[in-house]
Amino acid sequence: MKSSSAPGSESQAFGLPPARRLNPKKLLLSKWTAATPHDKEKHFIVTGVIQPESPATRIESIELESVYSRRLFSLPWRDLTDGQQWLQGWQ
């Protein structure tokens, strides 16, 4: 027998927060807080969305800049959906 439930309701049933839904095209200049800061780098801004070589291919990576040190690094944009690593906004 198949149960009919809304998407994401399984995580709510187990006390987990619902998965964060992000649109990679709207990430530019968004603000993020590292859940576990390193080297005083806690707040970050998305300064670039790395476009794929082929326009038909989906966006995979973003460029983050630390507000504190101005250090840049890139990571897969889907990593921002992990609430154990990243919090949306500056907190």
Side-chain angles (χ1 to χ4, degrees), residues 21-37:
R21 294 184 55 108
L22 296 175
N23 183 343
K25 294 179 182 179
K26 295 183 179 183
L27 285 175
L28 188 61
L29 300 179
S30 62
K31 299 173 182 178
W32 296 87
T33 300
T36 54

Side-chain angles (χ1 to χ4, degrees), residues 47-62:
T47 57
V49 176
I50 301 169
Q51 299 293 331
E53 292 179 20
S54 170
T57 309
R58 294 182 178 174
I59 296 169
E60 292 295 326
S61 298
I62 59 165

Side-chain angles (χ1 to χ4, degrees), residues 25-83:
K25 294 179 182 179
K26 295 183 179 183
L27 285 175
L28 188 61
L29 300 179
S30 62
K31 299 173 182 178
W32 296 87
T33 300
T36 54
H38 297 283
D39 299 325
K40 298 183 183 179
E41 294 178 335
K42 181 177 182 177
H43 297 118
F44 295 84
I45 297 178
V46 176
T47 57
V49 176
I50 301 169
Q51 299 293 331
E53 292 179 20
S54 170
T57 309
R58 294 182 178 174
I59 296 169
E60 292 295 326
S61 298
I62 59 165
E63 187 173 78
L64 279 178
E65 180 179 339
S66 167
V67 174
Y68 178 76
S69 67
R70 301 286 184 226
R71 184 175 69 101
L72 294 171
F73 63 97
S74 64
L75 74 151
W77 71 266
R78 287 182 179 87
D79 286 358
L80 295 176
T81 61
D82 182 4

Side-chain angles (χ1 to χ4, degrees), residues 2-6 9:
K2 187 175 181 179
S3 67
S4 61
S5 62
S9 62

